[in-house]
Amino acid sequence: MRIHYLQHVPFEDAANIEVWARRQGHAIRATRLDRDESFPPLVAFDWLVIMGGPMNIYEHDRFPWLEREKKFIAESINAGKLVLGVCLGAQLVADVLGGQVTRNAQKEIGWFPVWLSSEARQSPIFQTLPQRFLAFHWHGDTFSIPPGARRMAESQACANQAFQYGDRVIGLQFHLDYSLASIEKMIAHCGDELVEAPFIQPSPDSLLNAAHVQAIEDLLYRFLDAMEQPRER
């Protein structure tokens, strides 16, 4: 399997997705949009992963590559690639598929539970997750469920935490991909967002929870194992 991921800022890379890919023996490469790198030809990869970032999907003036990125994501979906969007990546996929991305009522930063929808139990991919589990969050925007997609998860602060479009395209607002190093980098670069609020855990010590990180790593690997399967059928 040839995996290609899109990275928007230096401090949000593929993290444990890359660890999983290399353990599985998959080739994995990146396009660094913060360096204005070019996208690969569609024939060069099987699976597209779109990572997070602090920008908003509608900030085209500040980040002119966003329009090119959306076009590339649309082309990848239309070409039948396996596609996974995480956080900002999920918002970009939702936008490409006709959903709307808007400010969420609350910023959600820290460890908060996510629970699956009834439709998620019909998905071989989401069936790998518990009905309720703790995930890491760092977002202020949210997406609507795109036309033709199914809503897969929610949290108390955010009604739309995941969607699936067909059997190959998935968006996750929450993070299963983060390592402890990922969280440390988020604190270093976006720590000004750690303020007292209903769904923000402002203490860096509470965010850097090794047991929670290990738990989501295990969930991530099971989830990615299941995502591989539709592509191999």
Side-chain angles (χ1 to χ4, degrees), residues 26-134:
H26 299 319
I28 182 165
R29 295 187 175 184
T31 293
R32 291 285 301 269
L33 292 162
D34 56 318
R35 297 176 180 170
D36 203 30
E37 292 179 351
S38 299
F39 297 110
L42 294 175
V43 296
F45 64 94
D46 309 300
W47 187 343
L48 179 67
V49 180
I50 308 105
M51 306 315 305
M55 63 284 299
N56 306 110
I57 68 113
Y58 38 79
E59 292 185 287
H60 298 141
D61 290 345
R62 292 185 62 198
F63 306 100
W65 42 259
L66 278 167
E67 292 191 18
R68 291 190 294 110
E69 182 180 20
K70 291 177 187 180
K71 182 175 182 289
F72 181 71
I73 294 169
E75 290 171 347
S76 299
I77 293 172
N78 292 336
K81 305 297 182 182
L82 199 59
V83 176
L84 172 63
V86 180
C87 201
L88 172 69
Q91 295 165 10
L92 286 163
V93 175
D95 179 77
V96 163
L97 292 173
Q100 292 186 324
V101 176
T102 56
R103 285 289 184 190
N104 197 43
Q106 301 277 354
K107 275 192 177 181
E108 189 176 25
I109 301 175
W111 296 98
F112 296 100
V114 169
W115 52 92
L116 300 182
S117 69
S118 58
E119 288 187 292
R121 306 322 306 169
Q122 310 304 314
S123 165
I125 299 171
F126 280 89
Q127 280 180 4
T128 63
L129 300 177
Q131 180 60 38
R132 183 183 174 95
F133 57 92
L134 204 62

Side-chain angles (χ1 to χ4, degrees), residues 149-180:
R150 293 171 288 161
R151 179 173 165 273
M152 292 295 176
E154 65 182 296
S155 66
Q156 186 178 355
C158 184
N160 295 329
Q161 281 283 353
F163 65 85
Q164 182 169 335
Y165 180 81
D167 67 349
R168 295 174 182 243
V169 179
I170 285 177
L172 302 178
Q173 183 60 67
F174 56 87
H175 289 277
L176 299 179
D177 55 302
Y178 274 4
S179 63
L180 277 175

